[in-house]
Amino acid sequence: MRVTIGDVAVLAGVSKTTVSRVLNDRGEVDGETARRVQEVIDRLGYVPSARAVGLALGRTSTVGMLVPSLDWPWMSEIVQGVADTLEVQKYGLLLYTCTRGQVSLDQFAASVAAHSCDGVLVVVPENGLGYVTDLYERGLPVVMIDDRGFGPALPTVACTNLAGGASAARHLLELGRRSPIVLTGRLEYGCVQERLAGFAQVYRSAGRPLADEQIIEGDFTAAGGRAAVEMAGRSGRQFDAVFAMNDLSAAGVLAGIRESGRMVPDDVAVIGFDDVEVAVHTDPRLTTVHQPIREMGATAASMLLAALAGAPLPVEPTVLETTLVVRGSTVP
Amino acid sequence: MRVTIGDVAVLAGVSKTTVSRVLNDRGEVDGETARRVQEVIDRLGYVPSARAVGLALGRTSTVGMLVPSLDWPWMSEIVQGVADTLEVQKYGLLLYTCTRGQVSLDQFAASVAAHSCDGVLVVVPENGLGYVTDLYERGLPVVMIDDRGFGPALPTVACTNLAGGASAARHLLELGRRSPIVLTGRLEYGCVQERLAGFAQVYRSAGRPLADEQIIEGDFTAAGGRAAVEMAGRSGRQFDAVFAMNDLSAAGVLAGIRESGRMVPDDVAVIGFDDVEVAVHTDPRLTTVHQPIREMGATAASMLLAALAGAPLPVEPTVLETTLVVRGSTVP
DNA sequence: CTGAAAGCGCTTACAG
DNA sequence: CTGAAAGCGCTTACAG
């Protein structure tokens, strides 16, 4: 049988109130009494039931998190950043994934409605924005990670996507690459729009505005990257560089170029985005725009925890810096 | 203010008992009454508090999970498999990571002691075995994933590591590779010992028993893989194949061989283990022993859920099949 | 400094 | 078919 506060009270010869006091060291307890109680607690290995404490206090000391899927290394790293921060603050992490689309979302919603957590961290899944915004407007503390361009209605942690795109462009221009192809992710995403805007602007300023045919909408997968290169090849368009908006698709681009018999970086320079581990396993290794992914997760968690502690959530997005990391796919 | 079962009861003009009955559709409620209550529930958007239900019922409908770190793609995939299964069964996933070693473990232990979950799924971290075994022996439902060779004291889900190692050896022998090097993970791990045993046995049977110098203890990292190749090169040992016990270190091996100026697979054939995504992004793509990683997670979750439903946990490990996947790193 | 009692929001015998 | 009451395991005014 589970040992309860009542058992401790009886063995220590005090009331449950007193036990509770030493548990939460409220002071105001006689030193000797406290010692006796503590001794019983230790002897019994008593630990208060989280459920009961939660019910009495009206909180769970747990944070809910929703991510589309852990299959993307970017996501895992975000989650790891969150987990590290929550652990330090002694909060639990209730993780929900969205591999079954709406069904998954409903599951998450049910959990939130049942007050299984005090606040929520979200990497918004397809069609999930309305629901999440709704939660926030009803007063639940919410922090969104990497706004997907769905607007600033929620407290958000993001990175400098625009500057990142621009840095990729500048690097290519410095290398004398005049005819790049840009392989995006889905154009609805805010991060994609920003990266594209930053990249395009630099080329425009350099007197080489991007033509529509230089922009290919991708899907962030390696297969998509390979397919894009093939397509570009068949179209007969000349290109001396590819800016792929994540590392996975950049890896696909590398493979596609290799298959076409051209050389990286001599014939074609390739830049990715994210700087996840795959970037150092390709051949050549990938020049890429580094995102401080783990810090983004950690920052979001800190913001949420601060909100749970009473601080107001910032209205302005918190934006972390991206940095260009140069490797063999652009410079031999 | 949060709406409670009491609010529903009042508005519907019935007792909380009755509301509870329709909530858990216990039948035995008058049709008309039930309809009226349900109508109020819907109108108020009432959802029972998970905490309160948990307290009353003595369970949390939550599963705790401990993994060393999400930085390893293998781990993320396990977690995804777990998450998918729990979601279907409407269980929550309380995820704990172990990036701070003992401190993290203590945190997890505290959570378990506070009965924050009904059972536990574990990929045992460094020095975590004793604690986990203890939990199991005290009666907490525990399922271990990928026993690290620490013994069969716990219900476990694993894969055919021995057969996997053997299949790698057979493949290399068929290719005529007589002098392989084996790059292991840490030798304490059960999976490493098994893969090694399977591999060594096949070479022994073929009349080419492995010498000690053909076995290099690695650490499952890419850097370790590259370093091992360098070391082997300096030692002057001739080798025509490398069996690396995970894909990450195999990727490092590939890089190391390339740097040494030799060709894969012509000069050296390389085989990995796991079949995580990096295996298709290397050049050449990696021949590897595929583990059904996600299924391992899903299976472990199912076992635990069955245990929570009253079924006894199997004493014998549940072992899933590995399969050799042949790609360019062994066959051009 | 200490304790009896009410309350957190549910469920479940028990009685009718 | 329905409800009053006790109980799950805590915390916290309130009173002493």
Side-chain angles (χ1 to χ4, degrees):
Chain A
M1 207 56 254
R2 171 175 181 71
V3 13
T4 73
I5 196 175
D7 302 327
V8 176
V10 172
L11 285 187
V14 297
S15 70
K16 296 191 289 181
T17 307
T18 297
V19 177
S20 175
R21 285 199 182 98
V22 347
L23 239 25
N24 305 289
D25 48 16
R26 285 240 170 297
E28 57 184 38
V29 178
D30 177 77
E32 173 49 32
T33 311
R35 214 161 301 130
R36 189 155 33 98
V37 172
Q38 187 59 55
E39 193 271 322
V40 175
I41 290 175
D42 293 343
R43 180 151 52 81
L44 264 43
Y46 167 67
V47 177
S49 151
R51 277 197 297 282
V53 173
L55 185 54
L57 258 35
R59 56 180 177 69
T60 60
S61 296
T62 292
V63 163
M65 182 168 190
L66 179 67
V67 299
S69 153
L70 296 174
D71 292 339
W72 304 89
W74 187 90
M75 299 284 175
S76 312
E77 208 174 328
I78 288 279
V79 175
Q80 184 66 65
V82 167
D84 289 341
T85 299
L86 293 184
E87 184 195 306
V88 173
Q89 310 250 29
K90 308 201 186 277
Y91 264 75
L93 171 60
L94 208 43
L95 183 68
Y96 287 85
T97 246
C98 220
T99 49
R100 293 193 304 157
Q102 189 60 43
V103 182
S104 303
L105 227 163
D106 291 344
Q107 198 72 196
F108 176 71
S111 163
V112 170
H115 285 224
S116 296
C117 49
D118 300 333
V120 151
L121 255 19
V122 179
V123 177
V124 179
E126 307 279 328
N127 311 322
L129 182 74
Y131 164 68
V132 172
T133 306
D134 205 53
L135 285 180
Y136 177 63
E137 281 165 0
R138 283 167 193 234
L140 184 76
V142 174
V143 175
M144 182 159 84
I145 297 165
D146 186 45
D147 102 289
R148 309 286 195 84
F150 294 125
L154 266 60
T156 300
V157 172
C159 67
T160 55
N161 284 306
L162 193 112
S167 70
R170 252 180 265 112
H171 180 58
L172 291 179
L173 279 170
E174 281 163 13
L175 296 171
R177 308 294 169 138
R178 299 309 187 79
S179 309
I181 279 181
V182 178
L183 175 61
T184 72
R186 297 191 37 193
L187 288 171
E188 301 92 271
Y189 293 165
C191 62
V192 168
Q193 293 164 13
E194 292 173 10
R195 292 169 199 178
L196 181 56
F199 189 90
Q201 184 189 309
V202 169
Y203 264 87
R204 197 181 320 116
S205 303
R208 306 282 305 183
L210 259 43
D212 283 353
E213 315 88 69
Q214 289 181 77
I215 299 169
I216 301 180
E217 179 169 4
D219 60 0
F220 279 167
T221 69
R226 173 175 295 173
V229 172
E230 258 178 44
M231 226 177 64
R234 274 202 308 274
S235 79
R237 161 164 287 278
Q238 300 302 314
F239 58 96
D240 53 14
V242 178
F243 170 41
M245 289 197 189
N246 77 339
D247 290 342
L248 236 43
S249 64
V253 165
L254 248 29
I257 293 174
R258 184 161 50 234
E259 282 162 15
S260 74
R262 304 179 69 190
M263 299 293 287
V264 174
D266 296 346
D267 303 326
V268 185
V270 177
I271 299 190
F273 208 107
D274 285 350
D275 198 22
V276 291
E277 189 163 23
V278 66
V280 301
H281 293 313
T282 55
D283 178 33
R285 307 204 309 167
L286 205 54
T287 291
T288 189
V289 179
H290 175 266
Q291 279 192 67
I293 308 179
R294 192 177 292 228
E295 290 87 323
M296 289 169 69
T299 301
S302 294
M303 281 172 54
L304 186 63
L305 258 21
L308 296 181
L313 283 167
V315 237
E316 289 298 307
T318 301
V319 183
L320 305 187
E321 294 286 330
T322 53
T323 48
L324 183 72
V325 178
V326 178
R327 300 200 182 94
S329 69
T330 56
V331 176
Chain B
M1 208 58 253
R2 172 175 179 73
V3 15
T4 74
I5 196 174
D7 302 327
V8 176
V10 170
L11 285 187
V14 297
S15 71
K16 296 191 288 181
T17 307
T18 298
V19 177
S20 176
R21 286 199 180 97
V22 346
L23 239 25
N24 306 290
D25 49 14
R26 285 241 170 293
E28 56 184 37
V29 177
D30 176 76
E32 172 50 31
T33 310
R35 215 160 301 129
R36 189 154 33 96
V37 171
Q38 189 59 55
E39 192 271 322
V40 175
I41 290 176
D42 293 342
R43 181 151 52 81
L44 264 43
Y46 168 67
V47 177
S49 151
R51 278 196 295 283
V53 173
L55 223 212
L57 258 36
R59 56 180 175 71
T60 60
S61 296
T62 292
V63 164
M65 180 168 192
L66 179 67
V67 301
S69 153
L70 296 175
D71 293 339
W72 305 88
W74 188 90
M75 298 283 175
S76 312
E77 207 173 329
I78 289 279
V79 175
Q80 184 66 65
V82 168
D84 289 340
T85 300
L86 293 185
E87 184 194 307
V88 174
Q89 309 250 30
K90 307 198 185 279
Y91 263 75
L93 171 60
L94 209 43
L95 182 67
Y96 287 85
T97 246
C98 220
T99 49
R100 294 193 303 158
Q102 190 60 43
V103 182
S104 302
L105 227 163
D106 291 343
Q107 199 70 198
F108 176 71
S111 163
V112 170
H115 285 224
S116 298
C117 49
D118 300 334
V120 152
L121 256 18
V122 179
V123 177
V124 179
E126 306 279 327
N127 311 320
L129 184 73
Y131 164 67
V132 172
T133 307
D134 204 54
L135 284 181
Y136 178 63
E137 280 164 0
R138 283 166 192 235
L140 184 76
V142 174
V143 175
M144 183 158 83
I145 298 165
D146 186 44
D147 104 288
R148 309 286 196 82
F150 295 123
L154 267 59
T156 299
V157 172
C159 67
T160 55
N161 284 306
L162 194 113
S167 69
R170 252 179 266 111
H171 180 58
L172 291 179
L173 279 171
E174 281 165 11
L175 296 171
R177 308 293 168 138
R178 298 309 187 79
S179 310
I181 279 181
V182 178
L183 175 61
T184 73
R186 298 190 37 190
L187 288 170
E188 301 93 88
Y189 292 165
C191 62
V192 168
Q193 292 164 13
E194 292 173 10
R195 292 169 199 178
L196 182 55
F199 190 91
Q201 184 190 306
V202 169
Y203 265 87
R204 196 182 318 116
S205 304
R208 307 280 306 182
L210 260 40
D212 283 352
E213 316 88 71
Q214 289 181 78
I215 300 169
I216 302 180
E217 178 169 4
D219 60 0
F220 278 166
T221 68
R226 173 175 296 173
V229 171
E230 260 177 43
M231 226 178 64
R234 273 202 308 272
S235 80
R237 161 163 287 277
Q238 300 302 313
F239 58 95
D240 54 13
V242 178
F243 171 41
M245 289 198 188
N246 76 340
D247 290 342
L248 235 44
S249 63
V253 165
L254 249 29
I257 294 174
R258 184 160 51 231
E259 281 161 16
S260 75
R262 304 179 68 190
M263 299 294 287
V264 175
D266 295 344
D267 301 326
V268 185
V270 177
I271 300 191
F273 208 107
D274 285 349
D275 198 21
V276 291
E277 189 163 21
V278 67
V280 301
H281 293 313
T282 54
D283 177 32
R285 307 203 309 166
L286 205 54
T287 291
T288 189
V289 180
H290 175 266
Q291 279 193 67
I293 308 178
R294 192 177 293 228
E295 290 86 324
M296 289 169 69
T299 302
S302 294
M303 281 171 56
L304 185 63
L305 258 21
L308 295 181
L313 282 167
V315 238
E316 289 298 307
T318 301
V319 183
L320 305 188
E321 294 286 331
T322 53
T323 48
L324 183 72
V325 177
V326 178
R327 300 202 182 95
S329 68
T330 56
V331 174

